[in-house]
Amino acid sequence: MCLSLGCSSPHNPLNCIVPPHMLRVMALRGDDKTARMARSLLKQNAALRDERAEHVSPPPPAQDGGTFAPHAVSPAEGLCCPDRRIHDGDGKAALPGRLVRAEGDDATGDADVDLAYDGAGQVFSLFADEYGRNSLDGAGMPLIATVRHRRNYNNAFWNGDQMAYGTGDGEVFRTFLELSVIGHEMAHGVIQHSGGLIYENQSGALNESIADVFGALSLQRSLGQQIHDADWLVGRGILGPGINGVALRSMKAPGTAYADDLLGQDPQPWHMDHFVTTTEDNGGVHINSGIPNHAFYLFCNYIGGKSWELPGQVWYRALQQLNNPMASFQQWADQTMDAVTAIAGRGTIEAVLLRRAWKLVGIAI
Amino acid sequence: MIIDITAQGGFGGITAAAMKKTIDVDQQPRQMQQELCDAFEPRELQRLTRTPCPDCADRLTYRITVTEGQENPQVFTLREDQLPPEMLDLIDQM
């Protein structure tokens, strides 16, 4: 019984027993039935809160990553090839749309379709060849994408099953089919299938940052770039022709990607002193991601070489081991430290430089 | 009936990139009027707010305000994935 919460009868006892933060993890990680139940209970909780003048605060999030079942994917054996399926949305919202290029098909001559196909292959290759991961779920799931999603649509997203790319309106955005963007969206799929990070506040900003990191690594690896030769921009060239800006975000210098009369100034901070507290954008997930983005850039800059090698391995291992969907920046930084220790060894120069990178963005580990 | 729609969020998280539309339903062709009234009927919007809303990255959030006659405006906040594709197509047409 849970009379202390004032639940009306009849009620589902889970609604009272299971705290909201746990329901949110179940909604994120559970099978279809469990996720539906958790979402339903979350809705009921929200309604109850609205009805009560005084509501019970949920317990604080678990601090111990061991609370949740691990979702890390072991390196796959015998992984081979992607299974790409590119669709044309024809300007409509229904997904996935009309299949226009399947795995092994010749190039279509349609730039959007071929970019989505080739980009998906590059990202698959990054995760497969460098980290031993067989597709986004680690089990060879098809890479489904839709180009020309909706009309003049200024967005690209991962919907839990597939990627979708708008064309942009030609004014603010001219395209979303750029490899760092494709890598970003596909990395959201990897994050989802690695235990997930709840998409708000610091865990949401980590979700965004990790997607940016693997988007940048996809691009740099495809170009064969050394760390010091890369521009560390996310979405270079996707802004409209009249926009004063080079990209959507800069990992090297957060807050400098654009400064425009229409868009304003790139709002990303690079240090915890400038962390933005807001209710918009799911608690600033696209804003505060600048902080862990910059920590990754600094680590790479100290290490040199190729970003997708040791730095990418550290971030990938940390993601697989994190096991905390509500992780804070501090907890993520600690996890990367564990990862670099496992990969390079305790007290190594790599570990020292990673600690320095986090310290420079205001996070002490 | 007046329908105001604003959106925020998305991959860029740039407010200026988001859509902002106002439509006076009475000024639309008859067929469009019917489609809009059906889709943006406040009870229907209220129902949509109760549909499951998974944790999906980079989706837009819509704020839809419906004003009927002299009544107080009714405001609904809906995630992109809570709106059926037909309704998103209608928003794109507006």
Side-chain angles (χ1 to χ4, degrees):
Chain A
M1 295 297 289
C2 46
L3 296 173
S4 62
L5 287 180
C7 301
S8 57
S9 182
H11 66 273
N12 185 336
L14 268 177
N15 196 18
C16 302
I17 293 167
V18 183
H21 73 275
M22 191 63 72
L23 287 173
R24 301 187 67 186
V25 174
M26 292 163 70
L28 183 71
R29 289 185 167 187
D31 58 25
D32 288 348
K33 187 178 174 187
T34 305
R36 269 200 306 277
M37 177 274 293
R39 288 184 198 121
S40 168
L41 293 181
L42 280 166
K43 288 280 182 190
Q44 290 176 38
N45 278 351
L48 273 172
R49 281 198 302 274
D50 290 344
E51 287 168 11
R52 291 194 296 255
E54 297 177 2
H55 79 260
V56 179
S57 298
Q63 297 299 306
D64 177 3
T67 304
F68 307 105
H71 276 60
V73 173
S74 301
E77 289 183 10
L79 66 85
C80 169
C81 311
D83 176 8
R84 290 166 284 186
R85 303 175 192 179
I86 311 302
H87 300 74
D88 191 336
D90 292 313
K92 299 287 190 182
L95 292 171
R98 179 168 51 90
L99 181 65
V100 286
R101 188 172 177 191
E103 189 61 42
D105 288 352
D106 292 335
T108 62
D110 180 320
D112 283 358
V113 171
D114 293 335
L115 281 167
Y117 182 91
D118 294 341
Q122 295 280 3
V123 180
F124 179 93
S125 173
L126 169 74
F127 284 103
D129 298 343
E130 304 299 336
Y131 313 127
R133 187 183 188 89
N134 188 6
S135 191
L136 308 183
D137 64 347
M141 76 181 288
L143 303 175
I144 301 170
T146 300
V147 302
R148 288 189 279 274
H149 177 64
R150 300 183 59 181
R151 188 189 295 180
N152 296 326
Y153 184 61
N154 277 335
N155 199 19
F157 62 84
W158 162 259
N159 80 344
D161 297 311
Q162 70 155 96
M163 294 75 72
Y165 306 99
T167 59
D169 60 1
E171 183 184 358
V172 180
F173 289 105
R174 65 171 95 197
T175 184
F176 288 91
L177 287 160
E178 187 273 338
L179 186 51
S180 67
V181 178
I182 293 169
H184 173 105
E185 297 307 335
M186 292 176 67
H188 279 307
V190 172
I191 294 164
Q192 173 186 318
H193 289 288
S194 301
L197 282 161
I198 288 173
Y199 202 65
E200 65 178 25
N201 302 324
Q202 287 201 18
S203 58
L206 285 174
N207 197 323
E208 276 300 309
S209 171
I210 294 165
D212 276 353
V213 162
F214 288 106
L217 300 194
S218 299
L219 180 60
Q220 291 176 26
R221 182 172 179 270
S222 78
L223 297 171
Q225 281 182 325
Q226 298 286 311
I227 283 166
H228 298 112
D229 296 330
D231 60 20
W232 293 94
L233 296 171
V234 177
R236 183 188 181 109
I238 71 171
L239 295 174
I243 299 294
N244 182 33
V246 291
L248 198 53
R249 295 186 276 277
S250 170
M251 299 175 71
K252 182 176 182 177
T256 66
Y258 58 85
D260 181 78
D261 289 345
L262 179 62
L263 301 188
Q265 175 80 37
D266 174 2
Q268 283 212 309
W270 64 271
H271 192 280
M272 287 300 285
D273 284 354
H274 305 291
F275 185 92
V276 176
T277 301
T278 174
T279 56
E280 294 196 352
D281 185 32
N282 295 100
V285 298
H286 293 92
I287 298 172
N288 293 311
S289 56
I291 295 167
N293 273 3
H294 194 54
F296 182 77
Y297 161 77
L298 289 171
F299 179 49
C300 290
N301 199 39
Y302 294 149
I303 296 286
K306 295 169 179 168
S307 59
W308 60 90
E309 294 186 343
L310 183 111
Q313 289 164 6
V314 169
W315 250 241
Y316 182 75
R317 182 183 176 89
L319 177 63
Q320 299 311 299
Q321 300 290 322
L322 179 63
N323 196 23
N324 180 1
M326 290 169 288
S328 65
F329 287 2
Q330 179 71 59
Q331 290 167 324
W332 172 249
D334 290 342
Q335 196 68 56
T336 64
M337 203 64 208
D338 289 349
V340 79
T341 301
I343 292 170
R346 189 175 301 280
T348 56
I349 187 68
E350 290 85 356
V352 170
L353 293 175
L354 179 61
R355 180 173 281 113
R356 182 180 295 177
W358 281 115
K359 187 178 180 185
L360 269 178
V361 302
I363 296 172
I365 50 176
Chain B
M1 183 164 81
I2 306 291
I3 303 168
D4 284 296
I5 304 176
T6 59
Q8 63 155 326
F11 169 74
I14 298 175
T15 305
M19 168 269 287
K20 183 178 285 187
K21 294 183 178 184
T22 298
I23 189 162
D24 183 343
V25 175
D26 296 338
Q27 302 300 314
Q28 304 306 309
R30 184 164 296 276
Q31 187 180 344
M32 185 70 161
Q33 277 186 26
Q34 191 58 52
E35 284 185 47
L36 290 168
C37 285
D38 291 346
F40 291 92
E41 209 281 314
R43 272 179 303 186
E44 171 64 8
L45 293 174
Q46 189 63 48
R47 185 188 68 79
L48 290 174
T49 64
R50 292 192 293 268
T51 57
C53 183
D55 237 14
C56 293
D58 293 333
R59 304 306 294 268
L60 300 175
T61 299
Y62 288 91
R63 183 180 167 91
I64 301 174
T65 305
V66 180
T67 308
E68 295 181 283
Q70 301 302 311
E71 294 178 19
N72 288 332
Q74 298 184 72
V75 183
F76 305 90
T77 302
L78 288 150
R79 286 265 300 271
E80 188 177 8
D81 37 346
Q82 291 178 298
L83 297 172
E86 302 76 23
M87 194 160 171
L88 293 171
D89 289 338
L90 195 56
I91 289 172
D92 289 344
Q93 284 177 45
M94 289 166 66

